[in-house]
Amino acid sequence: MKLDSLPGGVSATTQATAPLDSSQAVTGNYYYGELYYVKVRCILGTSSDRKLLGWLGLGSKDGYSSYIDPNATPPHDRVLAVQWVGLATDATPPDREQPSHDAAQASTPKYLRALNYPGGARFLGGSGNDGFYCYWQEGDGKGGPGGTYELTLIPVPDSNEFLVRRYSDNGPVYTYDDYYMGYWKSGNEFEITFEFIPTASFSAKHENWMGDHNATIGARHLSEIVIPGSHDAGCSQIRRTLGNVTSQTQGLEIYDQLMAGSRYFDLRAWQDTDNIWKIYHGKDWSTVTLQDAVDQLSTFLEKHPREVVMASLLLEDQPGVFDSKLKAAWELVFDKLHPYHLNSEDQNGSPRDFSRLTPNFLQSLGKNLLLFSWGQAQSWTYTNSANQQILASPWSSGPGTHMDLDGVFLDDAAATAQDIYGAYQNYTRPQGACWILHTNTPWQFKLAADSLYAKHFRNTPPLVAYFKSGSIARPKANIINIDYVGDVVNGSNLVEAVIMSNL
């Protein structure tokens, strides 16, 4: 099994098959989740005493599941990229339901599918007497699991790992014969844990792309640079069961999205019943707090002064509102990010000249961040906890401002890459202002089992082709909003294609 690589020897995730056909997914009522590589460990004594065995993959005997070389880094021969497949019986987002993400993971039986299994995707099932051996089985031939095993997960405390159970009999997964895995313990076998790591974590990094290409883009206005962005940037984990179908938009945390090359962040927060501001999507809670997002942005901005980042903030679905409650959330943001942010007004209340904003100009001021409000913004001064006077002055967005956040967005779950491109062609961009091309499409009832990841998987390769051919390019293209930043689909990395279109 040969896995592709990007230029420069950086490995890219490769899926050997592409069965995420919308009609099959809906007809069978199965959703298809994000892709992971899985670290396999065993519990030697107590749950805190665990040993790394390797990566979940294909054993030397055809079809048998095993753990591969603990010193390897995926992608790697015989290490499999897997995804959860399940029944989307009720994917309806509730009114701010608040179970924990781990509880949602543990409570839902689902199937584990290896998408890059040689010769076609297979599911983790069993073989031998009573299905004793863990075995990669063929599904029903239509992308569904057929007669393979439903699995459930039990969170391991104080870790990112899960115990794996066969749903039919709650049978644990154990080591077997120092190499394979089984659903039965006869002697000194050890129970196994799985840690699911997004495949995007192993794709190419573009940590310093703006600084590295400063000679080309440094003097360009921000509206003249093609910039990868993160749609609903804080939604890498959704608390509700099946939130991964309807509302999960990212696989990486915000800092890792920055490292992958994203430079625009769509942030939306709501104050929870515990008074903590938390990221949300629609009516679904993320596990990420607004403070988490701010801290990760701050860490990156401090380390990367030549990388210019833009972010927009929507609070409680109230664009343009700056009452005392919402101002408190903005102040949480400015407390940490004000050293990097160029305010829209100066200390005298005079508006800044947006037309001067280039990477070089921002660098000359020691700034590398712009924060945008949804709708008209306000400016005010407050005293922070360190008794500093802070001017909070975000930038406005909307008609007649410096940012068109709506730009091109197709509110249609069935929209294809070709539809997105057609809308892009018909859009008239604002002169001298930034604008967003949204490459994401929404979840809707009419395609209830069609997960946001499945849409990303289908649309990414043709969208990359539009960038590589120059069909989507400067001087029209600007901010490109992306789901699953850093994820590579059959060798197609949309973030990378966007960056390269500047050169």
Side-chain angles (χ1 to χ4, degrees), residues 120-123 135-141 144-148:
R122 290 197 181 188
F123 292 83
Y135 188 83
W136 295 107
Q137 294 180 312
E138 295 182 5
D140 60 11
T148 56

Side-chain angles (χ1 to χ4, degrees), residues 231 405-412 420 423 435-442 444:
H231 168 237
L405 291 179
D406 292 334
V408 171
F409 171 65
L410 297 185
D411 190 15
D412 181 0
I420 295 168
W435 75 279
I436 299 178
L437 169 61
H438 299 270
T439 64
N440 53 286
T441 57
Q444 292 171 342

Side-chain angles (χ1 to χ4, degrees), residues 186-502:
S186 63
N188 62 351
E189 293 88 0
F190 300 101
E191 188 167 4
I192 276 174
T193 70
F194 282 2
E195 179 185 0
F196 296 88
I197 303 174
T199 56
S201 300
F202 301 92
S203 65
K205 300 293 184 287
H206 299 285
E207 174 183 0
N208 299 299
W209 71 267
M210 298 187 89
D212 289 345
H213 298 299
N214 180 264
T216 302
I217 68 172
R220 288 180 187 167
H221 189 261
L222 294 180
S223 66
E224 299 172 337
I225 303 172
V226 193
I227 298 170
S230 298
H231 168 237
D232 275 298
C235 293
S236 57
Q237 288 189 337
I238 301 297
R239 286 194 260 175
R240 180 180 58 87
T241 302
L242 293 183
N244 62 319
V245 177
T246 63
S247 302
Q248 182 182 344
T249 56
Q250 302 296 336
L252 303 177
E253 293 188 349
I254 285 173
Y255 186 84
D256 293 324
Q257 293 171 43
L258 285 155
M259 295 293 283
S262 184
R263 295 294 180 267
Y264 165 78
F265 290 83
D266 165 16
L267 299 173
R268 311 178 198 190
W270 201 287
Q271 192 172 45
D272 204 344
T273 54
D274 59 5
N275 294 324
I276 295 175
W277 287 92
K278 296 174 183 174
I279 301 298
Y280 72 96
H281 182 189
K283 293 183 177 180
D284 269 323
W285 292 105
S286 167
T287 62
V288 178
T289 68
L290 181 57
Q291 188 67 62
D292 292 334
V294 167
D295 289 345
Q296 292 182 46
L297 283 166
S298 174
T299 299
F300 182 86
L301 292 165
E302 173 68 24
K303 294 179 179 178
H304 301 84
R306 301 176 73 194
E307 301 300 304
V308 177
V309 175
M310 293 184 280
S312 61
L313 180 60
L314 175 64
L315 297 172
E316 298 197 342
D317 286 341
Q318 299 184 75
V321 175
F322 285 84
D323 59 22
S324 59
K325 178 183 177 181
L326 302 192
K327 275 186 176 179
W330 275 103
E331 289 170 12
L332 178 155
V333 174
F334 273 92
D335 281 352
K336 199 70 176 278
L337 298 181
H338 76 270
Y340 316 104
H341 182 251
L342 182 68
N343 284 319
S344 66
E345 295 182 358
D346 63 22
Q347 295 290 341
N348 298 317
S350 299
R352 303 227 186 236
D353 184 358
F354 190 77
S355 68
R356 298 187 65 189
L357 300 191
T358 67
N360 287 346
F361 179 73
L362 288 166
Q363 189 175 349
S364 73
L365 300 177
K367 303 294 184 180
N368 58 342
L369 174 66
L370 296 181
L371 293 170
F372 290 85
S373 166
W374 283 44
Q376 289 296 320
Q378 293 183 18
S379 299
W380 70 100
T381 300
Y382 70 96
T383 304
N384 69 5
S385 58
N387 205 34
Q388 297 171 303
Q389 291 288 304
I390 305 296
L391 173 61
S393 183
W395 297 78
S396 297
S397 69
T401 71
H402 307 301
M403 171 69 82
D404 180 5
L405 291 179
D406 292 334
V408 171
F409 171 65
L410 297 185
D411 190 15
D412 181 0
T416 65
Q418 291 76 14
D419 296 327
I420 295 168
Y421 176 61
Y424 165 80
Q425 287 182 302
N426 293 328
Y427 175 78
T428 301
R429 66 158 298 164
Q431 293 302 310
C434 294
W435 75 279
I436 299 178
L437 169 61
H438 299 270
T439 64
N440 53 286
T441 57
W443 178 90
Q444 292 171 342
F445 282 108
K446 67 179 180 180
L447 293 173
D450 195 24
S451 69
L452 297 185
Y453 186 82
K455 302 172 195 297
H456 150 79
F457 191 98
R458 281 196 307 276
N459 288 336
T460 291
L463 285 168
V464 167
Y466 285 128
F467 278 96
K468 288 187 173 180
S469 68
S471 300
I472 301 177
R474 297 182 62 250
K476 183 174 184 177
N478 185 205
I479 299 170
I480 313 299
N481 229 12
I482 299 171
D483 277 354
Y484 292 92
V485 161
D487 194 52
V488 182
V489 180
N490 292 328
S492 295
N493 185 334
L494 186 51
V495 170
E496 189 167 84
V498 170
I499 293 170
M500 296 303 293
S501 68
N502 288 292

